[in-house]
Amino acid sequence: MSRELALRVAAALVLIPIALLDVWAGSVWFELGIAMIAAIMAAEWCRMVHRGSQFQFALHALAAIGAVLVVSRAGTGTALQVIAACWAMSLIAEVLRTRSGSRWAWWGIPYIALPGLALILIRQSPEYGLFAVLWLFAVVWSADTLAYVFGRLIGGPKLAPSISPNKTWAGLAGAVTGGIVASAAMGWYTALPKIWPLLLIGGILAVLEQLGDLFESAAKRRFGFKDSGRIIPGHGGVLDRVDGLIFAAVAAAAFGYARGGHEAVASGLVVW
């Protein structure tokens, strides 16, 4: 085992139990955990895209942390208003600085703030909140793992060589397989009334997990970064580890909200 791989495995063995414990604890502990991660994500994004601007970091962190802490107390609408206000100020500041604004700067605040809000909405649901977050994590982790395995074992045509030369169509198939298998296992263990819709959603979220990975890879390539940070030994930055979760979490929460409303996002997502 190479030193880098050993570091990655060791870091995962430490971080995964901490993440699961935080999800299990829920309530304010989950909010604080998500807020801390969001602040680090904001710092890494602003370091890449905004050249370390402290003003942009303050806006990105305020949007992400504010939405996480507000949503369970004042509702989704207020949380989205916090994000929108910070987003508007960020765009105005960027346009004033460059006279046009970078296209990457347009999406920084929703990219950083919405996934945390999404996870809180899912976890705070009185029914199935814990299960839905654990299922989402299982889908993302399984998709990421099997994408790597299929890509290494099968190889073949590249998925997006100009963005991420190592990603293949076989890897994407592996990701979808991982999402479906994880959904089947979790649905069977919990004895959900209908599992097949969860399999379909798991496959869709696995595709979004890969798109999230590609999005962050494109940002790093555009701004000349190998990793978003160095906080996690062998893994790079927090964005490097949660890039796939970002798109998947937002999509999962949006779908659950559409079916169940603010108070039943989790059951709207997983119960059919």
Side-chain angles (χ1 to χ4, degrees):
M1 181 183 293
S2 68
R3 181 176 180 275
E4 182 178 357
L5 181 57
L7 283 173
R8 291 172 67 91
V9 171
L13 291 175
V14 172
L15 294 175
I16 289 176
I18 293 174
L20 295 178
L21 179 62
D22 193 39
V23 174
W24 175 80
S27 188
V28 67
W29 301 108
F30 189 59
E31 292 177 357
L32 291 175
I34 295 297
M36 180 182 67
I37 292 170
I40 299 172
M41 291 166 59
E44 292 179 352
W45 179 264
C46 291
R47 173 172 164 262
M48 284 196 301
V49 178
H50 293 286
R51 301 179 182 178
S53 166
Q54 293 300 308
F55 180 70
Q56 287 290 352
F57 166 68
L59 289 175
H60 283 66
L62 177 61
I65 297 173
V68 164
L69 299 180
V70 160
V71 65
S72 61
R73 295 161 180 83
T76 308
T78 302
L80 291 175
Q81 288 173 8
V82 170
I83 294 174
C86 293
W87 193 9
M89 287 188 285
S90 173
L91 292 177
I92 291 170
E94 179 67 15
V95 169
L96 290 176
R97 185 182 71 84
T98 65
R99 296 188 179 182
S100 60
S102 165
R103 285 180 295 176
W104 286 101
W106 297 350
W107 306 111
I109 282 186
Y111 180 69
I112 297 300
L114 288 179
L117 172 60
L119 289 171
I120 298 298
L121 281 173
I122 297 171
R123 180 62 182 91
Q124 74 177 8
S125 298
E127 295 183 358
Y128 293 97
L130 175 60
F131 167 77
V133 174
L134 293 177
W135 164 74
L136 177 61
F137 282 8
V139 166
V140 170
W141 292 342
S142 298
D144 191 48
T145 300
L146 287 191
Y148 175 79
V149 171
F150 277 43
R152 289 295 297 270
L153 294 180
I154 300 174
K158 302 297 183 180
L159 179 62
S162 63
I163 299 175
S164 183
N166 294 326
K167 286 196 175 297
T168 63
W169 285 97
L172 179 61
V176 174
T177 301
I180 292 173
V181 169
S183 298
M186 295 286 287
W188 173 81
Y189 180 78
T190 313
L192 292 175
K194 288 184 181 179
I195 295 180
W196 70 263
L198 205 63
L199 306 186
L200 176 61
I201 298 172
I204 293 172
L205 293 183
V207 174
L208 292 173
E209 183 271 336
Q210 291 290 286
L211 290 177
D213 195 328
L214 287 172
F215 181 87
E216 201 238 352
S217 294
K220 290 189 294 186
R221 182 174 289 270
R222 165 63 179 80
F223 294 98
F225 283 79
K226 181 180 183 295
D227 296 314
S228 65
R230 300 178 181 177
I231 194 170
I232 306 175
H235 289 260
V238 170
L239 280 175
D240 295 323
R241 290 303 91 210
V242 302
D243 51 5
L245 178 62
I246 289 174
F247 282 20
V250 174
F255 189 77
Y257 192 96
R259 290 193 70 231
H262 176 81
E263 297 298 331
V265 175
S267 56
L269 177 63
V270 301
V271 178
W272 293 78

